[in-house]
Structure formats: structure tokens, C-alpha cells
């Protein structure tokens, strides 16, 4: 996490979350009642203890036609 990157992101994006993803209850609390058209994760999940659970939580926060854009080395080029 880089404080300046968060500051820049907050100026340019609708929503920026700074959450400890190894604490899935914090993620659920942050996302409670929110819905997204698009969630972007780039080089994040490989650093998390519970990547599958994180994806389940994020998927539940998507609008009906929402998407998750994901780039991570943990999937070894497999298709999901």
C-alpha cells in the first residue's frame, strides 16, 4: 500500500477501498450494501490468505451485469 497512490485513486475513482484482505470480515463490512459495475484486482490475490473467499465476497457485490477484472499469478494461466 502506498499512501500517495491511494490519494490519487480517490481523486479519480468513484470508490477506493483500503481494506486488509486477510481479514474477510473487514472486507464484508466495507462492502456492506454496496454494488459495483466493475471491480479491478491487479496483482492482489497472490498476497491473500483466502483468495477464493475474497472472490466469493466480491462477486456478491457486483451489479447484475457487473464484472471482475483480475490479473494474478496464482492461477497459472488457467481460465476461470
Amino acid at each position: 500500500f502506498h499512501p500517495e497512490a491511494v490519494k490519487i485513486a480517490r481523486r479519480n475513482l468513484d470508490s477506493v477501498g483500503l481494506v486488509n484482505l486477510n481479514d474477510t470480515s473487514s472486507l464484508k463490512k466495507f462492502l456492506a450494501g454496496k454494488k459495483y459495475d466493475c471491480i479491478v484486482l491487479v496483482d492482489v490475490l497472490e498476497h491473500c490468505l483466502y483468495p477464493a473467499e475474497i472472490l466469493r465476497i466480491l462477486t456478491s457485490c457486483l451489479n447484475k451485469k457487473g464484472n471482475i477484472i483480475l490479473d494474478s499469478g496464482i492461477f497459472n494461466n488457467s481460465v476461470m
Side-chain angles (χ1 to χ4, degrees):
F1 138 76
H2 191 284
E4 188 61 27
V6 172
K7 190 184 300 184
I8 292 168
R10 286 191 170 135
R11 284 195 308 253
N12 293 290
L13 300 171
D14 294 335
S15 178
V16 175
L18 183 57
V19 178
N20 178 355
L21 294 178
N22 289 320
D23 177 4
T24 55
S25 62
S26 291
L27 179 61
K28 289 177 186 176
K29 183 178 178 180
F30 173 78
L31 295 171
K34 298 177 183 172
K35 290 290 185 180
Y36 295 92
D37 294 322
C38 183
I39 297 172
V40 179
L41 297 167
V42 177
D43 296 328
V44 173
L45 288 181
E46 63 268 26
H47 303 286
C48 299
L49 297 174
Y50 312 105
E53 178 64 13
I54 291 167
L55 285 175
R56 277 191 286 278
I57 293 166
L58 294 176
T59 299
S60 72
C61 296
L62 290 173
N63 286 320
K64 188 170 179 113
K65 293 186 177 184
N67 294 292
I68 293 177
I69 298 173
L70 172 65
D71 181 16
S72 178
I74 65 171
F75 297 109
N76 297 323
N77 298 320
S78 63
V79 176
M80 293 184 54

